[in-house]
Amino acid sequence: QRAVPKSEYRRSFSLYFFDNKTGDPSKDWIAAAIPVLLEADLGQDPFLTIRSPFDAYPVDRLRSAGFKSWEDAPWTFKQRLANDSHMGFLVTGSFAMEGGEYVVTRALHEAPSGRLVAEKTHRNKSVFALVDDMSVELKRDLNVPLVQTETSKDLPVAEISTSSVEALEDIALGSRKAAIDHDWAGSIALFEKA
């Protein structure tokens, strides 16, 4: 028997690409990889509803507004879109690389008001461990009960997605090609490679 969380404990948020602050365009794939991993990891939690940056509705709105990618869209557009989507919050951020570590700053804002709820910086040599830590902190910032049951375990993201950085790059680029660029052949080739 599955327990359904009461509505007062459920949280919803829109998730967007993270800005590349490395200065290295070869790292652009990480902008999409972080939301891919966060969505996979947080999708295990029955208390959360996540609007992915790859979902049809936000991508259609992005294109209708004249933007080619999430990197082109200003924060105010993302906030308005999250609010129009009836999401309670929005998650944005940026990433850099320092000394062989991923350095990711994640911001959580209320969608209706735009008020900053929390901003945290995470560092780790493993993007997978970093996202696991980020997920726990994000749930705390959202006041989501940290409950694990036999039917609802919080598995490490590397166990439910991939533990290969090379495969993650292909998955992130493939997701972007499918949802944002509508390049189906390119997307399929990347997913098959992953």
Side-chain angles (χ1 to χ4, degrees):
Q1 183 175 341
R2 183 170 177 229
V4 177
K6 292 182 179 180
S7 61
E8 62 262 26
Y9 296 112
R10 292 189 56 80
R11 299 290 183 268
S12 62
F13 64 89
S14 290
L15 182 59
Y16 296 101
F17 282 20
F18 281 50
D19 297 331
N20 180 355
K21 300 293 185 186
T22 67
D24 180 358
S26 73
K27 304 287 185 201
D28 283 350
W29 65 271
I30 300 170
I34 294 168
V36 163
L37 290 176
L38 275 172
E39 183 181 11
D41 198 24
L42 293 169
Q44 300 175 81
D45 195 311
F47 290 92
L48 295 173
T49 300
I50 304 162
R51 173 57 59 107
S52 167
F54 303 106
D55 288 351
Y57 175 73
V59 171
D60 287 346
R61 291 281 304 272
L62 178 77
R63 290 179 166 275
S64 295
F67 302 114
K68 293 183 180 179
S69 70
W70 288 115
E71 292 90 344
D72 297 338
W75 183 88
T76 51
F77 172 80
K78 295 171 188 174
Q79 186 251 336
R80 185 174 59 249
L81 180 56
N83 192 45
D84 291 350
S85 300
H86 307 287
M87 298 285 110
F89 301 88
L90 66 148
V91 175
T92 58
S94 64
F95 67 92
M97 301 294 291
E98 293 176 8
E101 286 188 318
Y102 296 90
V103 180
V104 178
T105 300
R106 183 263 309 156
L108 174 68
H109 292 265
E110 290 180 345
S113 68
R115 182 182 73 83
L116 179 65
V117 175
E119 185 174 72
K120 303 244 168 68
T121 299
H122 302 268
R123 297 173 167 270
N124 204 304
K125 289 187 185 289
S126 164
V127 68
F128 305 103
L130 183 143
V131 167
D132 284 328
D133 293 342
M134 195 183 321
S135 294
V136 171
E137 287 296 320
L138 184 56
K139 287 191 238 184
R140 282 192 185 117
D141 292 340
L142 288 164
N143 294 316
V144 171
L146 298 175
V147 178
Q148 286 195 27
T149 65
E150 285 188 30
T151 58
S152 175
K153 294 197 185 315
D154 185 9
L155 298 172
V157 72
E159 287 186 27
I160 59 172
S161 59
T162 181
S163 60
S164 163
V165 173
E166 293 79 14
L168 175 62
E169 181 175 357
D170 291 335
I171 291 165
L173 291 172
S175 297
R176 179 188 192 111
K177 280 190 178 292
I180 309 293
D181 303 335
H182 294 218
D183 176 358
W184 311 116
S187 175
I188 290 168
L190 285 163
F191 284 129
E192 286 176 347
K193 184 179 165 199

